[in-house]
Amino acid sequence: MLKNRVLLLLVAVGLAAAAGLAFVTHAPNRLLSGQAVSWAIVLGAGRWMALLPALPLVVGPFLPQSRAVHLVLAVSAAALAASLLWLAGDVAIRLADTATPSARTSFGGAFWLIEAMAALAAADALQRGISNPAARITIGAVLILPILAVIGGGAIDQLSIMKEYANRRSVFATAVATHLAIVGATLLPTLGIGLPLGVLLDRRARLRRPVFAVLNIIQTIPSIALFGLLIAPLAGLVAFAPLLGRIGISGIGATPAIIALTLYSLLPIVRSTTAGLEQVPGSVVDAATGMGMTPAQIFRRVEVPLALPVVVAGLRVTVVQAVGLTAVAALIGAGGLGAIIFQGLNGSAIDLVLLGVVPLVAIAITADIALKLAVTMLKMRSG
Amino acid sequence: MRRWLRDPLIWTGIALVALVVFMPALKPVFALLFPDQDRPLFEQDSFINLTLSHIGLVAASSAISVLVGVSLALFVTRPSGREFRPLVETVVATGQTFPPVAVLAIAVPLIGFGAMPALIALALYGLLPVTEATVAAIEQVPAGAREAARGIGMTPAGRLRQIELPLAAPVILAGIRTSVIINIGTAAIASTVGAKTLGLPIIIGLSGFNTAYVVQGALVVGLLAVVTDLAFDRLGSMLDRWKRDDVVASA
Amino acid sequence: MITFEHVGKTYGDWTAIDDLSLHVAEGEFCVLIGPSGSGKTTTLKMINRLIEHDRGRILFEGAEIRSFAPEQLRRRMGYAIQSIGLFPHWTVEENIGAVPRLLGWPKSRIRDRVTELLGLLALEPERFRDRYPRHLSGGQQQRVGVARALAADPSVLLMDEPFGALDPVTRDTLQAEMLRIHKASGTTIVLVTHDIDEAIRLGSRIVILDGGRIVQSGTPRAILTKPANDFVADFVGREDIGIKLLSIERVSDRMRPGETAEGEPIAADASLRHALSLFVARGIDRLPVIGPSGTLAGAIRLADLTGGPT
């Protein structure tokens, strides 16, 4: 009997993708579009054994819903994700032997869809099988290790995205470093202004409406427009005071990027700080006052710890948003992963686009999960 | 004092239309502001065309987002679809950590350049806030009202139409607002993948070091976003009239 | 009116209702009472099929409830709950008119009915008709909730701890009004409560449940004087059983017509408990009694409280 309609749907989509889309494509060079490589070639010579982890997933919808079954399904899904990656890398190695050096083997639609279904199946199984969110995140992190091992072990080095990486190792490293540096540099002024402003708005309710109205309008303006609008005034400022130019400030590059990102980041930080302080129960503050704590002690020992989970939740929104917007900032010369993406888009080099997109998404998701975990742990600590 | 004179929606709306229609007339102003530029006004396409095309792209993609997002959320909040709710929530939460640029960039290899990948990327990305908000909105319908509606004999369809949707409407609208505002911004970036939008003067200006183009495009698209946001604000306050204190009707 | 025949309901391996048989006669005010988890709310909700029973039969006006579409069944039964559940986006008038609108009554008839019900529940029609629920106090909201339940002249009124969330004064007033409405309309009422005083005050019959079974069913007097077992005796309270007995009888039941006494009089329809309170508070042993018309009708003595019913 059918026990798990969700897994059934995921398996069906995965099978449909496998049947209808290419798993990997192969092209004589990076400008031509690739031809699908058949499953017979991918799975030839006993390599179909790599698909064995799919077996539990296919029968999974009909198994009884127990913790053990869910764990097996989560592990199988993770194993399948890793072995599909290995299969794609493996076929790229075999095709590379016979082809010209400029030939390219790339992931196809079926690869991405099945990997996505496997990830969702693992997430769903963990959600059903493990109730403690911290344990769930930890096991999830462990399940990613086989995939990292496949990548780190060089098994996919002949795939086109890794070839792009090999060609641009140093550019890539600089891009990632720049990207992270811009996000980090944004957080300093964001927290420096946002946290005190949030506290002020908690204490002075009258200021909330106008301040949030302004921050909301800023958040509304499209990033590319705000970046663009900062160029002219900054350039004018530098022309007026050349000293600023000498310390590295200019109309394009990192300066307008950090200013704009800070402006965007203020809304979530200020909002969560105010909301975090507001939800501290009045009775707790009353009790602390009654015990003879000074306002400063109450703030430090009572309000801050109780508000922290909400503030960190706001920080999560801020960081994820900043990681994404920094990619747009590449358009005004700020560098980072966006530069790789837009270079790829300009040159119609799809694997180059992916070389920018994949780490960009990975950074965003990692930051999201890490900060979610922090919120969960803070909440558990404060009960 | 006439009230509409102080209404920011009216005057930002007028400013937007005026800026778009009379942009060519502002050429001398931009020439004065940017004396180094030989071509102080973006003239490869009219701003009227760009604005209409931008609005068209956002409207079409948002319509798809709303239709699919609301249906999906309603499905997972019905008893028959409850099992799929964690899956949908995972997809929605993870999907929203994907930067909009990334979604746009991924759409190109799958679909190609032009308006189509932009439309699909925008629709997909816009789906997420709508779905999330609708699930939350349906969830916050008071349990008592839900039980009473069942207890007095309303049909499932009647409960959805008369109780759940009206009570959820303000929160659903807030999700649609988020979705549309994000899409206005992402549509501007979509000019890098070949869609004709207000991002075009900005991108061309940035790559050609013509700050005047950048300012023109940025002003129009920024104003468009602000006007849209204000319009949603107005719509929202019409939807939850029953929550306000000043409408005790005749009492 | 409503008959349960060997009804059962099981959730997983937990039996919520176990072989329950019960007949609620027309015009009865039947109170289901018991500790939490006793199955009282489940029993109530099985009547209008908010919860489906899995064993036995439930009959409504002689017909198996499964023979009605659930929505049709529910529209013939009024339903009022502790959380009230007024629709916050509808005015008082729209809330009360909900069921009549479902039944397709003409507008003017709904409007007249709303006016009538607002009056019945002591809410000035013109003041409250167009208000939204959030502008009403808790007591006013529950009055509207009861009015909504009564709107389509249901043959049965189902009430799930309707006064549980109200303050004691408001609860007292609304209980008195429920008694008045029951007397005037003769509607069959099934009410769930965990408050034994409420049960004794309102019920013409009390059904005590525990662990999904009926432990005892009878008039308030029978429950108080002949508890079926220790559970019932503990539940109704051993210590103030006498006080509770006094609370179910009227002064008129024991009054000596024609006799006179000094002091502030007590109303003939007041409870004996009220009379005892006055005897003790004033340190006297006889009280004058006035009838409904306000004229002196007789007197009552302290000693009269201890005799059996006359």
Side-chain angles (χ1 to χ4, degrees), chain B residues 142 144-145 147-156 159 162-163 166-167 242-245 247-251, chain C residues 45 48 50 71 74-75 77 79 81 83-90 98-99 102 127 130-132 134-135 148:
Chain B
E147 193 196 332
R150 232 155 75 81
I152 66 170
M154 285 191 178
T155 58
R159 295 200 297 267
Q162 297 190 54
I163 307 300
L167 286 174
W242 50 271
K243 272 191 187 166
R244 301 215 315 257
D245 286 316
V247 279
V248 191
S250 58
Chain C
K45 286 185 175 176
N48 66 356
L50 284 178
E71 284 80 22
R74 290 170 195 156
R75 289 172 197 176
M77 301 178 171
Y79 188 58
I81 52 180
S83 55
I84 305 171
L86 294 184
F87 306 130
H89 59 311
W90 286 2
V99 183
L102 287 173
R127 226 180 107 205
D130 294 322
R131 289 203 182 180
Y132 285 98
R134 62 187 297 267
H135 299 294
R148 180 174 66 182

Side-chain angles (χ1 to χ4, degrees), chain B residues 56-69 123 127 176 179-180 183:
Chain B
L57 178 61
V58 172
S61 60
S62 297
I64 299 173
S65 299
V66 170
L67 209 68
V68 179
L127 194 68
I176 296 175
S179 164
V180 169
N183 276 355

Side-chain angles (χ1 to χ4, degrees), chain A residues 4-6 9 120 127-128 216 220 222 224-225 228-229 231 320 324 328 331-332 341 345 348 350 353 357 361 364-365 368, chain B residues 80 83-84 86 90-91 97-99 101 105-106 109 113 177 181 185 188-189 192-193 202-203 206 211 214 218 221 225 229:
Chain A
N4 185 337
R5 290 191 294 155
V6 173
L9 174 73
L120 289 174
Q127 217 151 22
R128 289 171 190 246
N216 186 51
T220 302
I224 193 173
L229 286 173
I231 295 178
V320 170
V328 181
L331 289 172
I332 53 163
I341 297 175
L345 285 175
S348 302
I350 278 143
V353 172
V357 166
V361 170
I365 292 184
D368 183 63
Chain B
S80 55
E83 191 183 357
F84 288 91
T90 307
V91 172
T97 61
F98 278 53
V101 187
I106 295 170
F113 280 79
R177 173 179 176 169
I181 295 299
I189 304 170
T192 58
V193 302
I202 305 180
I203 302 293
L206 285 171
T211 314
V214 176
V221 76
D229 193 59

Side-chain angles (χ1 to χ4, degrees), chain C residues 54-117:
Chain C
D54 28 60
R55 293 181 302 282
R57 301 202 308 159
I58 302 175
L59 308 175
F60 169 61
E61 292 181 336
E64 163 84 68
I65 56 168
R66 294 248 166 91
S67 65
F68 303 93
E71 284 80 22
Q72 300 301 330
L73 181 74
R74 290 170 195 156
R75 289 172 197 176
R76 294 175 59 184
M77 301 178 171
Y79 188 58
I81 52 180
Q82 178 173 3
S83 55
I84 305 171
L86 294 184
F87 306 130
H89 59 311
W90 286 2
T91 60
V92 165
E93 168 148 31
E94 289 166 326
N95 266 287
I96 298 178
V99 183
R101 246 195 334 275
L102 287 173
L103 294 171
W105 288 17
K107 276 205 175 92
S108 60
R109 184 172 165 210
I110 298 179
R111 194 172 167 83
D112 291 345
R113 180 65 179 150
V114 170
T115 311
E116 183 187 345
L117 283 164

